Amino acid sequence: MKRKIFLLSLIAINVSVVYGQDINFSQFYELPLLRNPSLAGTYRGDIRVTTAFRSQWNSVTVPYQTQALGVETKFGLGPESGDYISMGIQLTNDVAGDSKMGKTQVLPMLTYHKLVSADNDSYISVGFLGGPVLQRFDPTKLSFSDQFVNGAYLPTNPTRQTFSKTNNTYWDAAAGVTYSSVLGTETKYYVGVAWFHVNKPKVAFNPSNDIQLNRKWVFNGGLSTPTSESDRLIFYVDHFAQGGNSQTQGGIILRHNLVQEDEDLGVDISAGVFYRWNDAIIPVIKLGYYSFNLGLTYDTNISKLKTASQSRGGFEVTLSYNSFLNIRNSSLQKVRCPVAL
């Protein structure tokens, strides 16, 4: 069993380093900076704070756990301008397997939203994201074949396996562009594209290994349309392409307003389902209470791992807060605003 766990840990290290597997959440639409930095600021309010926690593969091995914190703020550029600037930061922390293979990202963001048509609130947004990333693992948590003596394993048995370096810090960068607009008076949509790992950072623990992250293209889409005075259908989709591999995820949510005091304040409940291609079916439920939103998902695994995982993928929860600020250039005072689905 220890050998199997060690192999799983080595696989986790290999995937993370060689193929550049990035953090991905089932509620990806709640973490826009991880999708495309130009999606920052697409919400009602001056400030948004989003937290997320994910735990997966509990039934297969040591749980893989991921946490995220995103902070965004936006403000208008003068009373006569429809343009905005968004600033913020995205923090993530990921820990996987017996070796505690982890990655912590600290990524500041800057986005400019340019109004191109006031008739239908059309914007072109250009965003940039970048900062340091720390990788590490703990070799003392691993078991090695030469620690088995006469078929018996003891953690105190010496091993010939040595590691010259167990942590690595590199700099990463991303850029993106999004077009958002309104069809008619109520149907809102956006399309975007982002380019991650622009600088192809070196990520090997051993400095003598020239291993770089492959650049990743991400294509984003979102659409929101009313079905009644109290209900709205919302669609999200992302497509990734990196190093010869690709992945698509998307889904639909129906939001029902329980209390609607005005455009910005209310109580609502949402339910829907998402699909990660050849990997998982993901039911979702979301509760909105004025400035707060709570989202819950659970992955039902349908990949080749489903026998080992017993179809149990990962539990995920998000909590967000967005509101207006009492400042002179608050977006509350603006007639136009980037699309908020």
Side-chain angles (χ1 to χ4, degrees):
M1 181 63 183
K2 286 288 185 179
R3 292 184 181 182
K4 292 181 180 180
I5 294 176
F6 171 55
L7 288 174
L8 284 170
S9 298
L10 286 183
I11 290 171
I13 293 173
N14 183 64
V15 169
S16 180
V17 173
V18 177
Y19 295 101
Q21 178 173 309
D22 292 327
I23 290 172
N24 185 43
F25 287 89
S26 294
Q27 297 176 64
F28 58 92
Y29 46 89
E30 298 288 359
L31 296 144
L33 303 188
L34 295 178
R35 303 175 65 198
N36 184 335
S38 65
L39 288 174
T42 53
Y43 58 91
R44 290 287 300 176
D46 297 323
I47 185 170
R48 174 168 62 181
V49 179
T50 303
T51 61
F53 174 80
R54 178 177 178 82
S55 180
Q56 67 185 78
W57 295 349
N58 300 42
S59 58
V60 180
T61 182
V62 177
Y64 285 36
Q65 295 188 341
T66 309
Q67 305 89 34
L69 171 65
V71 180
E72 307 165 62
T73 184
K74 74 171 185 278
F75 52 88
L77 298 180
E80 303 300 326
S81 173
D83 296 358
Y84 291 83
I85 285 181
S86 297
M87 296 186 296
I89 190 168
Q90 179 68 61
L91 308 175
T92 66
N93 184 63
D94 187 48
V95 180
D98 271 23
S99 69
K100 303 300 180 183
M101 174 70 183
K103 181 168 67 173
T104 300
Q105 301 180 105
V106 182
L107 305 173
M109 168 277 300
L110 177 66
T111 300
Y112 189 93
H113 306 276
K114 176 63 179 177
L115 179 65
V116 293
S117 175
D119 293 336
N120 51 5
D121 291 342
S122 298
Y123 279 83
I124 291 180
S125 304
V126 179
F128 301 92
L129 181 92
V133 181
L134 171 64
Q135 289 187 146
R136 73 276 179 193
F137 72 98
D138 185 356
T140 65
K141 303 297 183 181
L142 295 175
S143 304
F144 301 94
S145 59
D146 56 2
Q147 292 179 290
F148 288 81
V149 179
N150 297 324
Y153 167 79
L154 284 175
T156 56
N157 288 341
T159 176
R160 294 185 297 274
Q161 300 291 336
T162 60
F163 299 90
S164 60
K165 192 176 181 182
T166 60
N167 60 76
N168 177 41
T169 300
Y170 60 88
W171 292 82
D172 202 0
V177 60
T178 296
Y179 175 78
S180 58
S181 188
V182 178
L183 292 173
T185 59
E186 293 291 338
T187 299
K188 308 172 184 179
Y189 71 95
Y190 62 79
V191 291
V193 59
W195 196 24
F196 285 82
H197 315 310
V198 174
N199 55 326
K200 296 188 69 174
K202 294 183 179 181
V203 297
F205 287 100
N206 188 339
S208 64
N209 294 331
D210 188 22
I211 299 175
Q212 294 179 300
L213 276 181
N214 291 317
R215 295 188 177 107
K216 180 176 74 172
W217 288 97
V218 184
F219 301 91
N220 321 106
L223 185 144
S224 172
T225 188
T227 58
S228 70
E229 291 185 0
S230 302
D231 300 303
R232 180 172 285 269
L233 276 177
I234 306 172
F235 302 85
Y236 296 102
V237 65
D238 275 0
H239 177 76
F240 308 84
Q242 181 182 23
N245 300 302
S246 62
Q247 179 64 274
T248 301
Q249 58 188 14
I252 183 172
I253 293 175
L254 176 62
R255 184 174 68 205
H256 176 69
N257 293 327
L258 301 172
V259 177
Q260 191 69 36
E261 295 185 3
D262 57 38
E263 188 176 0
D264 308 310
L265 295 174
V267 179
D268 58 74
I269 183 170
S270 304
V273 63
F274 281 73
Y275 177 64
R276 189 180 305 116
W277 191 260
N278 289 332
D279 181 51
I281 297 174
I282 309 160
V284 56
I285 186 168
K286 182 177 178 180
L287 303 174
Y289 185 79
Y290 297 97
S291 294
F292 292 91
N293 287 278
L294 175 68
L296 300 170
T297 57
Y298 191 87
D299 293 12
T300 303
N301 184 236
I302 60 170
S303 71
K304 294 179 180 179
L305 189 64
K306 66 182 180 181
T307 302
S309 69
Q310 301 174 3
S311 297
R312 295 186 297 219
F315 168 78
E316 185 177 300
V317 57
T318 62
L319 177 64
S320 64
Y321 170 85
N322 62 280
S323 184
F324 291 96
L325 301 174
N326 186 22
I327 56 177
R328 182 170 58 86
N329 53 354
S330 170
S331 60
L332 181 62
Q333 309 303 323
K334 306 282 284 186
V335 177
R336 305 301 174 192
C337 185
V339 164
L341 300 187

